[in-house]
Amino acid sequence: GRKAVSSEFKEAGDKVVFLSTPLLDGDVLDFAVLRKNLRRVHQLILEGKIKAAAAVEEGGIAAGITKMTLGNALGFRFVKPFPHTESLFTLQPGGMLLEVAKDADLEALFGELDCLPLGTVTDNAEITVNDITLANAETPEDLLSQPLYKRELPLTAPVNIARPKVFIPVFPGQNCEYDTARAFDLAGAESKIFIIRNLTAQAIEETIQAMVKGIQESQIIMLPGGFSAGDEPDGSGKFIATMFRNPRIAEAVNDLLQNRDGLMLGICNGFQALIKLGLVPYGEIRPLEENSPTLTFNTIGRHVSQMVYTRITSNKSPWLNMTEPGDVHAIAVSHGEGRFYAPAETIRELFRNGQVATQYVDLNGNPTMASPENPNGSLYAIEGITSPDGRILGKMGHSERYIPGLMENIYGEKEQHIFESGVKYFK
């Protein structure tokens, strides 16, 4: 007779407690206490006295509370005062979040167990800690469907190159380089996959020299998807961005973009790196500012891997020369940090400049904030943006993963012709 319990909060007014497990010497869980906790929680679940439960995982209590409130669009108010807010984000091995009825007697339920009252569930989508309230950012529906931006004449390079060369650096943890190279080669380019070596100081120096040479010999830089350095340190794409901020590499990149009319593309992890470098939306490697766009954790708090529909919102970019504004494509996504975020005025400026390339849409082709159509909660449903002149494109969807014959059971057009458009720019 096991009884499952949802990890989403059920009702406004209910109490939420944190049941902890102490650590012994050597940071080993006290399994005797953990066993006692689990037995008591199991009994209370069978009795119907626990309405929702979740283990505290990465991100700590704060992440657990956030995920449990999102499920039913509820909120949470911590007890006031809550003195140790920093503890909300620490790892709590063996810890559990438990929702019980608003009139429950905590002492009767948990007795001598180490049970800490956290607060109460609320009926508004806010989390309040002491005097600080965090509200879910919402995008007004009338601002989602911005006017489409159409470039009348395609942007082309001043010189013709029969087979433009594509430089594809692969950082530890990335995994989309072969699909990417195949897509470019089929489009008529000549791809070069270069493995980043970083185990020794000498390897790093040799890598920097080789990267500079590879960029100088190429017309396109492509940053593929994957999980560079396991999305560490402190978030996705930062290791790539750190390498590209090396003065010699940055100089080679700027020379390609400013003096040789080259192109740059970043997908998924590569898009995250472009954002952190400032290459999108600014068109150059530069320090980030307080209002600079970013890509952050998906609103559902976990990795997503699915098909989505995206709309071409602007064909200002040479990468989108073979599309028309309004075209909709079915694209694969796979990421944990794909939520596009920026201040509203910054986003409006991107729309005005035609720099919002693609948006997540529903089955009717309308931009949406709803999940799962917008899989990460990106503001204004933004999936991809460009530099001011369009020659740098960053997007989350894995356009490189489609080849004819795949995804036959998925409705809609899958081929965006991004790689063909990039090669055609040099024709």
Side-chain angles (χ1 to χ4, degrees):
R2 294 185 181 275
K3 182 179 179 181
V5 175
S6 170
S7 61
E8 298 174 356
F9 289 143
K10 298 298 182 184
E11 186 177 352
D14 283 346
K15 298 175 183 177
V16 178
V17 301
F18 171 61
L19 194 60
S20 66
T21 300
L23 298 177
L24 302 175
D25 291 342
D27 289 339
V28 176
L29 280 175
D30 188 330
F31 285 99
V33 174
L34 178 61
R35 190 178 299 110
K36 184 184 297 185
N37 288 351
L38 291 172
R39 285 175 175 168
R40 183 56 181 160
V41 168
H42 182 224
Q43 183 61 37
L44 293 175
I45 290 174
L46 294 179
E47 295 174 3
K49 295 179 180 178
I50 289 181
K51 296 186 176 182
V56 176
E57 300 174 329
E58 184 178 1
I61 293 172
I65 291 290
T66 302
K67 287 186 279 190
M68 294 178 79
T69 57
L70 291 174
N72 287 321
L74 293 170
F76 190 78
R77 181 179 294 107
F78 282 87
V79 294
K80 183 181 178 182
F82 195 86
H84 304 295
T85 54
E86 68 278 0
S87 67
L88 295 176
F89 301 91
T90 60
L91 290 175
Q92 302 280 359
M96 290 175 277
L97 297 174
L98 307 171
E99 178 187 4
V100 298
K102 62 185 73 176
D103 57 354
D105 185 337
L106 298 183
E107 185 174 351
L109 291 180
F110 299 104
E112 76 284 1
L113 302 182
D114 189 2
C115 172
L116 173 67
L118 291 178
T120 56
V121 180
T122 63
D123 58 6
N124 54 350
E126 299 177 345
I127 297 177
T128 301
V129 185
N130 295 331
D131 294 320
I132 300 174
T133 298
L134 307 174
N136 287 337
E138 297 183 355
T139 300
E141 290 297 323
D142 61 330
L143 295 180
L144 274 174
S145 295
Q146 296 287 321
L148 300 176
Y149 185 103
K150 180 176 176 59
R151 181 193 289 274
E152 295 302 330
L153 296 175
L155 185 65
T156 59
V159 295
N160 293 334
I161 301 174
R163 293 193 66 193
K165 294 183 178 180
V166 184
F167 181 69
I168 306 175
V170 182
F171 290 77
Q174 289 186 290
N175 52 32
C176 298
E177 65 272 20
Y178 294 114
D179 288 341
T180 301
R182 182 207 63 236
F184 272 114
D185 291 344
L186 288 175
E190 180 182 340
S191 299
K192 176 183 178 181
I193 294 175
F194 176 77
I195 306 299
I196 302 299
R197 298 165 52 236
N198 67 325
L199 293 182
T200 66
Q202 181 179 349
I204 293 174
E205 174 59 29
E206 292 172 353
T207 291
I208 291 172
Q209 294 178 15
M211 284 185 68
V212 170
K213 185 174 185 292
I215 293 170
Q216 290 173 342
E217 294 175 348
S218 302
Q219 286 74 48
I220 298 172
I221 302 173
M222 168 67 202
L223 302 182
F227 295 93
S228 169
D231 282 348
E232 294 295 340
D234 190 26
S236 58
K238 283 196 172 180
F239 181 53
I240 304 174
T242 299
M243 181 69 83
F244 269 85
R245 286 190 183 276
N246 175 275
R248 286 174 285 171
I249 297 176
E251 182 180 358
V253 171
N254 287 331
D255 178 63
L256 171 71
L257 297 173
Q258 308 302 329
N259 302 323
R260 298 197 287 123
D261 298 291
L263 299 181
M264 198 162 181
L265 175 64
I267 292 178
C268 194
N269 206 200
F271 181 20
Q272 293 157 342
L274 292 179
I275 283 272
K276 289 174 172 60
L277 285 165
L279 285 165
V280 288
Y282 305 115
E284 62 181 3
I285 297 176
R286 59 187 285 184
L288 299 183
E289 302 171 357
E290 185 175 344
N291 63 343
S292 295
T294 190
L295 290 166
T296 187
F297 292 99
N298 303 341
T299 53
I300 64 172
R302 60 175 174 80
H303 185 274
V304 295
S305 181
Q306 65 181 78
M307 297 294 292
V308 298
Y309 291 95
T310 65
R311 180 187 74 171
I312 303 296
T313 303
S314 166
N315 69 344
K316 182 178 185 178
S317 173
W319 293 105
L320 301 171
N321 273 345
M322 298 176 68
T323 65
E324 290 291 328
D327 288 352
V328 174
H329 303 92
I331 304 294
V333 294
S334 179
H335 56 259
E337 297 179 47
R339 181 175 184 247
F340 184 87
Y341 183 87
E345 186 49 45
T346 299
I347 294 178
R348 291 190 180 97
E349 185 66 22
L350 294 177
F351 275 108
R352 284 193 291 267
N353 293 341
Q355 290 181 249
V356 175
T358 48
Q359 292 175 280
Y360 300 105
V361 295
D362 58 25
L363 292 176
N364 296 316
N366 299 316
T368 179
M369 290 294 297
S371 177
E373 291 84 359
N374 182 337
N376 46 49
S378 285
L379 296 189
Y380 292 74
I382 293 174
E383 186 257 344
I385 64 171
T386 73
S387 57
D389 62 6
R391 289 190 293 114
I392 308 171
L393 169 65
K395 66 191 302 291
M396 288 308 302
H398 287 276
S399 306
E400 81 283 0
R401 293 189 178 178
Y402 174 73
I403 59 174
L406 288 183
M407 311 170 189
E408 291 291 328
N409 62 331
I410 304 295
Y411 171 79
E413 178 62 48
K414 293 94 178 177
E415 179 58 78
Q416 286 187 308
H417 302 288
I418 284 179
F419 306 99
E420 295 172 70
S421 296
V423 173
K424 191 177 179 180
Y425 168 80
F426 295 97
K427 302 294 187 179

